[in-house]
Amino acid sequence: MLDAHHKQRRIRNSLSREEIRDVSLLILKEEGLEGLSMRKIANRLGCSVASPYSYYESQIDLVKDLIRTGEDELLSMLKKASSEVDTGSAFDQLAAIARAYFQFASNNRELHKVMFVTDYGGVHRKAFPQLPKSYRFFLETVRIGFDSGEIPYPKNEYPAIARLMWSWMYGVIVLDMTGMLRKRKGAGNPIEEGISYFKKLLKKQTT
């Protein structure tokens, strides 16, 4: 039997893109982006360092794939949360989206950093040649609120309102990640508080 120091290396064709991606996400979660390398991936998979390059041209190519994977998962969570709202209210859908986004970021802290914070050679912009699908879905939900009249502002203002609300969600997440989010005694959940204030402010038309 081979001991731990003499394990037989896996041949290149025995690997799959999914295995490499899964191990990469695990390393990212444990060590952050600075701890991710093709050598560590190869060590975890028991293969040569050259093997992952059969699927990814470079480490940047791998990180772009991790970003796309995270984006697909986030979009799926946002759509599921929105579909489960049965009130027909855009604000209720936006609240569900905010909760789902917060949950995704809490469960995938390092991946979220790579997706929306870390400037890894501009790789997140290369992975998203257009607006991220998650943001476009959020934008569309805000637009529905404008079209229905639930958000009583001129329709051409919906992109600005969407940016404002997304920035708030993102800000709450960053505060939580950096340990700066402190709940006041007796205060409610910050996501619920924020949606409640937005609902009051956006429904209040000046005359």
Side-chain angles (χ1 to χ4, degrees), residues 75 78-79 82 97 133-141:
L75 178 62
L78 299 189
K79 286 185 173 181
S82 178
I97 287 172
K133 295 176 185 177
S134 54
Y135 181 74
R136 293 209 304 261
F137 179 71
F138 180 80
L139 186 67
E140 177 64 15
T141 306

Side-chain angles (χ1 to χ4, degrees), residues 6-75:
H6 296 84
K7 289 182 179 178
Q8 185 176 358
R9 279 189 172 181
R10 294 177 58 177
I11 60 175
R12 185 175 302 185
N13 291 338
S14 70
L15 290 174
S16 69
R17 179 180 287 265
E18 289 72 23
E19 283 183 285
I20 297 170
R21 185 190 299 127
D22 289 346
V23 167
S24 300
L25 288 170
L26 183 60
I27 295 172
L28 183 66
K29 183 175 183 179
E30 294 174 350
E31 304 181 36
L33 185 60
E34 64 277 3
L36 182 65
S37 70
M38 291 300 202
R39 184 171 298 279
K40 284 186 179 180
I41 293 168
N43 287 340
R44 295 274 186 119
L45 291 172
C47 63
S48 69
V49 177
S51 293
Y53 287 102
S54 298
Y55 298 91
Y56 297 99
E57 294 181 0
S58 66
Q59 189 163 322
I60 287 183
D61 188 34
L62 169 61
V63 173
K64 287 167 65 176
D65 191 33
L66 298 184
I67 290 173
R68 286 189 291 266
T69 298
E71 171 69 358
D72 288 344
E73 181 182 348
L74 174 57
L75 178 62

Side-chain angles (χ1 to χ4, degrees), residues 1-205:
M1 179 179 291
L2 297 174
D3 60 31
H5 297 289
H6 296 84
K7 289 182 179 178
Q8 185 176 358
R9 279 189 172 181
R10 294 177 58 177
I11 60 175
R12 185 175 302 185
N13 291 338
S14 70
L15 290 174
S16 69
R17 179 180 287 265
E18 289 72 23
E19 283 183 285
I20 297 170
R21 185 190 299 127
D22 289 346
V23 167
S24 300
L25 288 170
L26 183 60
I27 295 172
L28 183 66
K29 183 175 183 179
E30 294 174 350
E31 304 181 36
L33 185 60
E34 64 277 3
L36 182 65
S37 70
M38 291 300 202
R39 184 171 298 279
K40 284 186 179 180
I41 293 168
N43 287 340
R44 295 274 186 119
L45 291 172
C47 63
S48 69
V49 177
S51 293
Y53 287 102
S54 298
Y55 298 91
Y56 297 99
E57 294 181 0
S58 66
Q59 189 163 322
I60 287 183
D61 188 34
L62 169 61
V63 173
K64 287 167 65 176
D65 191 33
L66 298 184
I67 290 173
R68 286 189 291 266
T69 298
E71 171 69 358
D72 288 344
E73 181 182 348
L74 174 57
L75 178 62
S76 177
M77 290 179 65
L78 299 189
K79 286 185 173 181
K80 182 176 185 296
S82 178
S83 69
E84 291 174 350
V85 174
D86 56 10
T87 63
S89 166
F91 280 109
D92 289 346
Q93 288 186 325
L94 291 169
I97 287 172
R99 293 186 203 104
Y101 182 25
F102 191 86
Q103 180 186 354
F104 172 84
S106 298
N107 294 340
N108 303 277
R109 290 175 177 263
E110 294 302 323
L111 178 58
H112 181 269
K113 288 180 185 177
V114 176
M115 290 170 63
F116 294 110
V117 181
T118 304
D119 188 359
Y120 188 62
V123 70
H124 54 297
R125 289 190 295 275
K126 294 174 185 175
F128 298 146
Q130 299 176 337
L131 287 176
K133 295 176 185 177
S134 54
Y135 181 74
R136 293 209 304 261
F137 179 71
F138 180 80
L139 186 67
E140 177 64 15
T141 306
V142 174
R143 188 189 65 78
I144 290 171
F146 273 75
D147 288 345
S148 69
E150 189 176 5
I151 302 177
Y153 282 79
K155 290 183 180 180
N156 63 347
E157 294 185 18
Y158 84 89
I161 297 294
R163 286 194 297 269
L164 178 64
M165 295 187 74
W166 185 274
S167 298
W168 156 73
M169 286 195 306
Y170 178 77
V172 170
I173 287 168
V174 171
L175 288 174
D176 180 60
M177 286 183 170
T178 55
M180 296 175 64
L181 187 62
R182 295 287 184 268
K183 292 183 181 179
R184 293 177 288 106
K185 190 172 182 179
N189 180 292
I191 294 293
E192 309 304 329
E193 280 186 333
I195 288 293
S196 176
Y197 281 120
F198 270 113
K199 190 172 183 178
K200 292 174 184 177
L201 291 170
L202 292 177
K203 284 193 171 185
K204 183 185 293 185
Q205 276 281 49

